[in-house]
Amino acid sequence: MIVGYLGGIPFITSRNKVRTFDNFNRSSTARWAKHELIGQKPILEFLGKDIEKISFDMQLRASLGINPEDELDNLRTMRDEGTALTLVLNNMPITDNFWVIESLDEKVNFFGGNGEILSAIVSISLQEYVGDIT
């Protein structure tokens, strides 16, 4: 069952493979200008919405049909190349805009006998990308 996807990475649960996320966090702010006045309180001016940010954790486990090293390499490549990605959950895009990987925080839990990664948790931070994809 596909729960959603980030670019070409499906969030999936099946008998043979599990690639999902937890600790999903979405944050957004408004942009305000602060105009200083002599002898008075400043005046705030609403400028508009700011870009949104999303973060979540993914557990990558070989025992769940995932190759953690390949997954981490793929995520690093998307981050390093500034790849604009679609983020879809429950068959609906999160926004009309794309997303870019701002940062990855990797924690390896278990190594195999040959030094291969058997289990890792990666924390992914995304920023909304507004504009054309080049």
Side-chain angles (χ1 to χ4, degrees):
M1 172 185 209
I2 294 182
V3 178
Y5 56 88
L6 173 64
I9 301 172
F11 302 123
I12 188 169
T13 59
S14 73
R15 188 176 314 168
N16 303 323
K17 186 179 283 193
V18 176
R19 183 193 297 115
T20 57
F21 58 87
D22 42 316
N23 299 322
F24 184 89
N25 184 47
R26 181 176 179 174
S27 63
S28 58
T29 60
R31 295 180 299 125
W32 292 89
K34 185 176 178 182
H35 302 283
E36 300 290 341
L37 301 174
I38 297 173
Q40 298 178 33
K41 289 187 175 185
I43 295 174
L44 292 177
E45 178 183 6
F46 179 69
L47 299 177
K49 300 182 284 186
D50 207 346
I51 59 172
E52 294 194 35
K53 294 187 176 193
I54 289 178
S55 63
F56 54 87
D57 300 332
M58 289 177 61
Q59 187 171 38
L60 309 172
R61 296 181 61 182
S63 64
L64 297 176
I66 301 296
N67 183 321
E69 292 185 49
D70 289 348
E71 296 286 328
L72 292 170
D73 285 343
N74 187 29
L75 289 166
R76 286 185 209 117
T77 298
M78 289 188 291
R79 178 203 56 207
D80 295 345
E81 293 178 354
T83 306
L85 306 162
T86 305
L87 179 60
V88 173
L89 295 177
N90 195 24
N91 294 320
M92 298 289 296
I94 294 294
T95 65
D96 293 335
N97 298 311
F98 293 93
W99 297 84
V100 293
I101 298 175
E102 178 181 26
S103 67
L104 299 171
D105 185 20
E106 305 169 26
K107 178 182 175 185
V108 176
N109 297 330
F110 298 104
F111 289 96
N114 296 320
E116 73 276 16
I117 298 173
L118 297 179
S119 177
I121 296 175
V122 60
S123 298
I124 301 171
S125 295
L126 305 173
Q127 283 191 93
E128 187 178 18
Y129 177 84
V130 179
D132 295 331
I133 297 179
T134 56

